[in-house]
Amino acid sequence: MKRQKRNQSARAFGKGYQAGISGRSRSLCPHETGNARQEWLSGWREARTDQWDGYNMAAQVQKLSNLNHHP
């Protein structure tokens, strides 16, 4: 069975969320402009907010896993 390729914006959001979980700076965003940059930064912000709201690393990883499995 073929796996569907995730759309670029969902992938950018997930990568940004991963960067936020690991405490990386938002200045390390790999996208210069456009929708992918906005999605990456949104993911980064959400991860940082989750961390500030008390989510532990395991909860954040679980959330990221859920994001990756739902279209």
Side-chain angles (χ1 to χ4, degrees), residues 2-70:
K2 288 186 178 182
R3 287 180 66 172
Q4 281 189 326
K5 189 174 182 179
R6 285 178 286 157
N7 67 34
Q8 185 179 4
S9 62
R11 188 164 191 265
F13 182 91
K15 293 291 186 180
Y17 195 89
Q18 285 177 322
I21 287 174
S22 61
R24 292 175 43 209
S25 170
R26 70 180 182 171
S27 65
L28 296 174
C29 178
H31 307 283
E32 300 271 333
T33 60
N35 191 42
R37 179 175 175 77
Q38 292 305 314
E39 289 296 328
W40 193 96
L41 290 171
S42 293
W44 182 88
R45 273 192 230 72
E46 187 165 330
R48 301 303 293 159
T49 300
D50 287 349
Q51 196 169 46
W52 295 325
D53 288 345
Y55 281 57
N56 63 20
M57 180 77 113
Q60 287 181 301
V61 169
Q62 181 63 46
K63 183 174 182 176
L64 180 61
S65 176
N66 290 342
L67 289 171
N68 287 336
H69 290 101
H70 295 289

